Amino acid sequence: MRIAFYAPLKPPTHRTPSGDWRVAGLLMEALTRAGHRVELASTFRSYDRDGDATRQAALRDQGLALGRGLARHWREGPAASRPDLWFTYHVYYKAPDWLGPETSAALGIPYVIAEASYAPRRAGGAWAIGHGATADAVRRAALVLSPTRYDVHCLEPLVEARERILLLPPFLNATPFRAAAEARVQHRARLAAAHRIDTSAPWIVVAAMMRSGDKLASYRALAGALARLTDLPWRLVVAGDGPARAEVEAVIGAAAPGRAHFLGELGLAELAGAYAASDLCAWPAVNEAYGMALLEAQAAGVPVVACALRGVPDVVEDGRTGLLVAPGDDEAFAQGLRKLLIDEARRAALGRAAAAFARGARSIGAAAERLGLALARVTAEAART
């Protein structure tokens, strides 16, 4: 099929890397692997960070006009150039989809959403316009692909048939992480020399952007746990950068004086090397949808300690690929880290299972197969009706 792809929060061509940016690219790659021709329909961003109703209304009007223009362009152009299906990634109250529903209806093609988040408590609030548009988009979608079981519960009341919601767990292309794991010794030696990291102690790796809000809250929670582990030998390796870097360095430095090494923002190959060089990954994942970094670490053969919050249990298998603890409990998080810091054999066993999990069930190949079957079902149903 010819698929029109759209990401209202952040297009895959955006210059600033993030989890959303990576997932959008992975979805396009998976759709291509499934045998489809994927084209980016628009780079229009509908994101409103501050809950500004005037801005939301302006974005709505602009988005609807763009959608009408796209539909007109395709209707007036050659039939062979028209999309057979519209695919939108990540729809929620701050970044609704103003293009997809109307354009799909005008062209008479199926409308599909991957990762829709719907929070009933947002009704009537500062993002009421985006909240209402998200509900409308979900109702009109022929298929909603949800990456987590957590989101499914809120989406079910919006759809007429439960079959219109399909679980598509987070996935990745494990190739660079597998390659990095195979060169673990070299990566560890290189980072140790460049950043003067003690190789005799276990390394705890963190990969996250540094910004205010939930990311900073996770760094603070991590610091609270690390402060309880100063009786053990370990080093913290932090990959990431952002406007809150000074605050992050201060809070981590106070909790673990002389033990943290900040690598800054890394490209994919360097990031994979940092994971592979480490012994375990730690991240509280405060308010995160699921945490792609946790899956990346596992693909490099590194076990994870995280909080059992929202979609994290769909990314980390507790007791098999890592340890999950109760959210908001620094002591429990510290104890989870302690268990793995003092038990090298258990770390290794969890790491092997983590690699198999990320490279198998959570591989881009498995996702492409699942996507192919799901979209075939959607188009067959559209043809019948």
Side-chain angles (χ1 to χ4, degrees), residues 192-218:
H195 299 277
R196 298 183 180 179
I197 310 174
D198 181 3
T199 57
S200 67
W203 292 8
I204 303 170
V205 66
V206 170
M209 296 176 70
M210 299 176 181
R211 58 173 181 246
S212 60
D214 294 331
K215 294 293 186 187
L216 184 55
S218 280

Side-chain angles (χ1 to χ4, degrees), residues 25-34 170-175 358-371:
L26 284 166
L27 279 166
M28 293 185 78
E29 183 180 349
L31 289 167
T32 301
R33 287 191 181 207
F171 62 91
L172 48 60
N173 184 339
T175 301
R359 300 171 193 176
R362 293 294 185 268
S363 69
I364 194 167
E369 183 177 354
R370 193 168 177 82
L371 271 171

Side-chain angles (χ1 to χ4, degrees), residues 13 17 55 96 98 121 131 154 183 193 197 207 209 253 258 278 289 295 297 385:
T13 54
R55 173 176 167 77
W98 297 115
R121 63 189 174 86
H131 174 79
C154 290
I197 310 174
M209 296 176 70
S278 301
L295 191 57
T385 59

Side-chain angles (χ1 to χ4, degrees), residues 24-380:
L26 284 166
L27 279 166
M28 293 185 78
E29 183 180 349
L31 289 167
T32 301
R33 287 191 181 207
H36 304 298
R37 181 173 177 179
V38 186
E39 297 180 356
L40 188 62
S42 175
T43 58
F44 173 70
R45 297 187 72 193
S46 66
Y47 179 63
D48 172 49
R49 183 189 63 183
D50 302 318
D52 182 339
T54 301
R55 173 176 167 77
Q56 290 169 46
L59 288 169
R60 175 196 60 204
D61 294 345
Q62 186 180 355
L64 290 173
L66 282 170
R68 287 192 293 269
L70 281 171
R72 184 169 57 251
H73 167 75
W74 279 318
R75 280 199 310 265
E76 295 174 354
S81 69
R82 296 173 199 161
D84 301 299
L85 180 142
W86 183 286
F87 193 106
T88 292
Y89 163 63
H90 201 178
V91 178
Y92 77 124
Y93 69 97
K94 288 187 179 181
D97 183 7
W98 297 115
L99 278 64
E102 296 298 330
T103 306
S104 300
L107 296 175
I109 60 175
Y111 172 59
V112 175
I113 301 174
E115 194 169 332
S117 298
Y118 181 74
R121 63 189 174 86
R122 295 291 177 184
W127 287 273
I129 293 175
H131 174 79
T134 296
D136 179 64
V138 171
R139 291 188 187 101
R140 297 171 68 173
L143 177 67
V144 179
L145 298 161
S146 178
T148 71
R149 290 163 290 180
Y150 174 87
D151 283 329
V152 169
H153 300 306
C154 290
L155 295 172
E156 285 180 328
L158 298 176
V159 300
E160 293 179 0
R162 173 63 179 80
E163 296 75 29
R164 286 171 53 200
I165 302 175
L166 177 69
L167 190 66
L168 179 70
F171 62 91
L172 48 60
N173 184 339
T175 301
F177 304 100
R178 182 190 295 111
E182 292 170 356
R184 167 184 160 82
V185 173
Q186 296 93 314
H187 287 300
R188 192 173 177 93
R190 174 180 57 81
L191 287 172
H195 299 277
R196 298 183 180 179
I197 310 174
D198 181 3
T199 57
S200 67
W203 292 8
I204 303 170
V205 66
V206 170
M209 296 176 70
M210 299 176 181
R211 58 173 181 246
S212 60
D214 294 331
K215 294 293 186 187
L216 184 55
S218 280
Y219 276 111
R220 291 188 185 281
L222 177 64
L226 294 176
R228 292 169 165 80
L229 299 170
T230 53
D231 59 307
L232 297 177
W234 50 266
R235 293 294 182 268
L236 182 69
V237 177
V238 184
D241 206 342
R245 178 164 180 166
E247 293 175 82
V248 169
E249 290 190 0
V251 71
I252 295 294
R259 298 197 190 206
H261 305 270
F262 293 89
L263 311 186
E265 184 178 317
L266 302 180
L268 181 59
E270 291 178 300
L271 179 60
Y275 286 131
S278 301
D279 300 283
L280 66 151
C281 173
W283 189 239
V286 174
N287 247 358
E288 293 199 17
Y290 41 85
M292 279 300 291
L294 305 180
L295 191 57
E296 291 171 348
Q298 291 173 91
V302 178
V304 169
V305 177
C307 292
L309 188 66
R310 298 187 64 177
V312 173
D314 288 290
V315 172
V316 181
E317 295 195 333
D318 186 29
R320 180 171 173 264
T321 69
L323 301 179
L324 297 180
V325 303
D329 189 338
D330 291 353
E331 179 59 31
F333 200 90
Q335 288 305 314
L337 287 172
R338 182 178 293 275
K339 288 176 183 177
L340 297 191
L341 285 170
I342 64 176
D343 193 339
E344 184 178 356
R346 191 178 186 192
R347 286 201 311 266
L350 290 173
R352 287 191 296 271
F357 171 67
R359 300 171 193 176
R362 293 294 185 268
S363 69
I364 194 167
E369 183 177 354
R370 193 168 177 82
L371 271 171
L373 293 172
L375 297 188
R377 189 189 76 194
V378 167
T379 52

